[in-house]
Amino acid sequence: MDIVSIIEKKRDKKELSKEEIEFFVKEYTEGNIPDYQAAALIMAIYLNDMSKEETANLTMAMADSGEKLDLRDISDIIIDKHSTGGVGDKITIILMPIIASLGIPVAKMSGRGLGFTGGTADKLESIPGYRVDLAIDEFKKNVSEIGISLITSNLNLAPADKKIYALRDTIGCVSSIPLIASSVMSKKIAAGANKIVIDLTCGNGAFMKNKHDATELAKTMIKIGDKTKKEVRCVITSMDEPVGYAVGNQLEIIEAIEALKGNMPKDVEEIVFALGEQILIMAGRAKNEDEATGMLRVTIENQKAFEKFKELVAKQGGDVSYIDDVTKFRQAQFIEPVTAKKSGTIMEIDTEKIGKVASYIGAGRLTKDDKIDPEAGIVINKKLGEQIKKGDIIAYVHTNRKDKVEEAIKDIQESYITSSLFKKNTKTVIEVLK
Ligand code: URA
C-alpha cells in the first residue's frame, strides 16, 4: 500500500477501503507521511466527500490511534457531551454539575481552546486554584467520591485527530462534514463514552452555516454511532449570536455561576434544558422530555446543582469563596462601553467577528503557546431582535490591552446590523435528532 495511490483514488472520487484509511491514519500519526501528502488527501476528502462507511472507518482509526480511557469501573453508562464550537459557549460548565446533582456520574475531559476564547479547561482555570490537570487516578477518584470531575486530557487520546485537525486548520479544510464528524466522534470514543450528546452549532459563528449542513452533520454522527455501537443524539442550536451575554473566560465563569443559581439567559436555558433532557433519557433516568424537564428544574431550583458545582471546585483545589461572591474576581483594567451607530431592530450579529475581537483583546490564543488573559472578553448588552437607539450601549469591552480598545469598539459596532423591520423571535434550539 502506498500513500500516492490512496491520494489518487480519492482524487478520482473512489471509495477508500478500511485498510487504506487505517494505513493513512497510522503512518501519518507516526510521522511517516509528510504534511504535503496528508494535505493533498485531506483536500481530496474535503472536495469529494466520504461515504458513511469511510467516515466510520476514519473515526475508528483515529479513535484507536493513541491511548483510550476506560471508565467502565465507574459506570456502565458513560455519557459525554460535545459542542461543535461557537462564541460564548459555557454550556458544559453549567450543564455538567446539573447532571451530576441528579446522580449521573460525570467524568469529562475538555480541551483548551485555540481561536475565539479559551476552551472549557481554560475557563475553569480562571477560578483561582482550580486544577484541570489531574492524573487519571485522581480524576476517577473524584468521580467516585462526588460524582463529577472536569479536567483537561493529559492522556494521548486520538492523537491522529490532533494532527489532522491542526493540518486542516492551515489548509482551509475544517468545515467538512466527514472530517468534523470523525474528529468529534473519535475523541468521544477514545474518552470512553458510550452515550454521546452533541450540541451541534449552526449559524454565522459556527462551522455549519445553515440548517441543511447541520442536519447532514448530525445524521453522519448518528450513523457513526450506529456503526460503532454508541448512542448519539444531536441538538442543533443556533450560533447566530453569542451564547448568553458573556464572551471570555472569567466572564463566562461568572455567567455560569449565575446560571447555576437559577438566573439563566433565555438562550442558555433553552440549550441547557434541551441537552439535559436528552442526557437524562439516555441515562434511563427519565421516560420523556417532560419528565426530564421537571427533574432539571427541581435540581436547579433547590440549589443542588449550584452546590454540586461548589463541591467540584473545592475538590479540584479551587477557591470556593469566589463562587459565593463573584465580585472577588479581579476585573480587567479597561471596561469600555460600545455604543450603537444606528437606531433600529438588531437583525444580525456577526458572531464570528465578535469571537475574533474577544480573541485579540486577550481572551483567546492564536498559537498553542499563547497565554490567555482570563479577565479579557466582551459582555453583550443587546441581543438579536432588540430595538436600539443610536448611542445605546450594545456591549462592553473588558481588556488589559489599552492599544486594542479602539479597534475592538469599531469591530463590535460593525458586527451589529440593524434595520427598521421587525424581527420575529426565533428559537435557539432548532431541532433534536436521534
Ligand atoms: N470540533 C471538533 O472537535 N472537530 C472538528 O473538526 C470541528 C469541531
Side-chain angles (χ1 to χ4, degrees):
M1 209 170 296
D2 70 289
I3 184 66
V4 178
S5 325
I6 297 175
I7 297 168
E8 286 170 351
K9 209 168 162 188
K10 203 34 103 189
R11 179 199 66 194
D12 296 341
K13 303 189 169 62
K14 299 204 178 98
E15 189 159 340
L16 300 179
S17 69
K18 183 167 182 277
E19 291 71 30
E20 286 164 333
I21 290 171
E22 284 171 356
F23 171 83
F24 161 67
V25 169
K26 178 169 180 295
E27 297 301 325
Y28 182 54
T29 310
E30 289 177 1
N32 302 325
I33 292 175
D35 280 344
Y36 58 84
Q37 286 181 315
L41 180 60
I42 294 295
M43 182 59 83
I45 293 171
Y46 184 93
L47 295 173
N48 296 333
D49 210 357
M50 276 186 140
S51 68
K52 298 279 188 282
E53 191 69 33
E54 285 176 296
T55 311
N57 288 333
L58 178 59
T59 306
M60 285 319 291
M62 293 200 297
D64 290 339
S65 65
E67 289 175 276
K68 278 184 159 172
L69 186 58
D70 189 348
L71 296 169
R72 283 172 301 180
D73 48 338
I74 292 176
S75 166
D76 292 339
I77 298 178
I78 303 295
I79 294 189
D80 207 347
K81 173 258 170 198
H82 189 84
S83 160
T84 53
V87 178
D89 185 353
K90 68 279 296 171
I91 299 296
T92 293
I93 301 159
I94 304 168
L95 177 61
M96 289 320 195
I98 296 176
I99 295 301
S101 73
L102 289 164
I104 298 168
V106 172
K108 179 148 178 60
M109 293 186 172
S110 297
R112 294 189 181 278
L114 256 185
F116 302 148
T117 57
T120 297
D122 300 300
K123 291 171 194 178
L124 287 165
E125 264 186 344
S126 57
I127 302 168
Y130 190 104
R131 289 164 53 228
V132 291
D133 54 352
L134 305 189
I136 293 304
D137 287 349
E138 192 176 356
F139 171 62
K140 285 189 174 183
K141 186 166 150 279
N142 288 1
V143 180
S144 312
E145 287 177 12
I146 65 163
I148 184 167
S149 186
L150 300 182
I151 65 165
T152 190
S153 161
N154 51 17
L155 289 178
N156 190 24
L157 298 175
D161 172 60
K162 282 197 192 79
K163 206 166 166 187
I164 295 172
Y165 193 115
L167 180 71
R168 285 163 59 204
D169 217 12
T170 61
I171 58 170
C173 286
V174 171
S175 53
S176 141
I177 289 174
L179 295 176
I180 296 179
S182 53
S183 163
V184 169
M185 292 293 292
S186 63
K187 284 191 281 260
K188 299 292 107 179
I189 294 170
N194 51 20
K195 305 205 178 256
I196 301 160
V197 62
I198 313 269
D199 181 356
L200 208 162
T201 50
C202 165
N204 64 20
F207 292 124
M208 296 295 108
K209 303 292 179 206
N210 57 59
K211 189 177 169 205
H212 174 268
D213 289 352
T215 307
E216 272 310 297
L217 177 59
K219 286 183 181 161
T220 305
M221 291 203 267
I222 292 168
K223 200 66 180 196
I224 295 173
D226 287 348
K227 287 187 184 292
T228 54
K229 305 205 166 38
K230 316 280 172 199
E231 187 179 357
V232 178
R233 296 185 176 203
C234 294
V235 178
I236 300 181
T237 61
S238 170
M239 191 51 74
D240 276 329
E241 62 181 338
V243 180
Y245 292 91
V247 180
N249 302 280
Q250 171 185 299
L251 293 169
E252 290 186 40
I253 286 288
I254 295 170
E255 188 167 58
I257 293 167
E258 287 304 318
L260 281 160
K261 287 182 185 163
N263 309 317
M264 287 194 209
K266 197 182 135 296
D267 54 346
V268 170
E269 183 173 21
E270 251 191 74
I271 302 170
V272 164
F273 273 74
L275 294 167
E277 286 160 9
Q278 297 311 317
I279 291 177
L280 292 184
I281 295 169
M282 283 200 287
R285 294 292 301 278
K287 283 190 285 303
N288 53 42
E289 276 85 356
D290 283 348
E291 190 182 348
T293 306
M295 293 167 72
L296 294 166
R297 245 180 234 302
V298 170
T299 199
I300 296 165
E301 275 166 20
N302 67 17
Q303 301 285 300
K304 283 214 169 114
F306 180 56
E307 290 305 322
K308 186 54 76 180
F309 180 65
K310 283 176 40 178
E311 218 181 331
L312 163 73
V313 170
K315 194 83 178 166
Q316 299 209 194
D319 185 343
V320 179
S321 68
Y322 282 73
I323 314 302
D324 282 323
D325 177 9
V326 294
T327 62
K328 283 188 79 172
F329 283 98
R330 199 182 65 199
Q331 298 220 356
Q333 225 181 322
F334 307 99
I335 302 178
E336 302 290 340
V338 182
T339 53
K341 291 285 243 191
K342 283 192 196 148
S343 302
T345 310
I346 302 170
M347 303 302 279
E348 217 180 295
I349 298 176
D350 185 338
T351 314
E352 191 171 335
K353 193 161 178 163
I354 298 277
K356 285 184 179 156
V357 176
S359 184
Y360 76 65
I361 62 175
R365 51 167 88 78
L366 293 174
T367 74
K368 69 179 181 11
D369 300 321
D370 285 351
K371 264 209 152 343
I372 276 183
D373 176 356
E375 295 160 12
I378 297 164
V379 176
I380 300 291
N381 197 44
K382 298 285 178 189
K383 303 258 290 175
L384 279 181
E386 287 193 57
Q387 304 280 336
I388 51 171
K389 288 204 200 63
K390 186 175 171 194
D392 279 356
I393 296 174
I394 50 176
Y396 293 89
V397 172
H398 290 233
T399 186
N400 292 308
R401 299 272 318 257
K402 192 172 188 338
D403 57 320
K404 293 288 178 193
V405 169
E406 209 175 304
E407 186 184 351
I409 290 177
K410 183 170 158 290
D411 281 344
I412 295 170
Q413 283 171 331
E414 283 172 11
S415 306
Y416 275 71
I417 310 287
T418 52
S419 124
S420 55
L421 299 172
F422 168 77
K423 184 165 169 49
K424 212 172 105 213
N425 262 343
T426 46
K427 285 207 157 293
T428 304
V429 172
I430 300 169
E431 201 178 342
V432 178
L433 286 101
K434 350 181 161 156

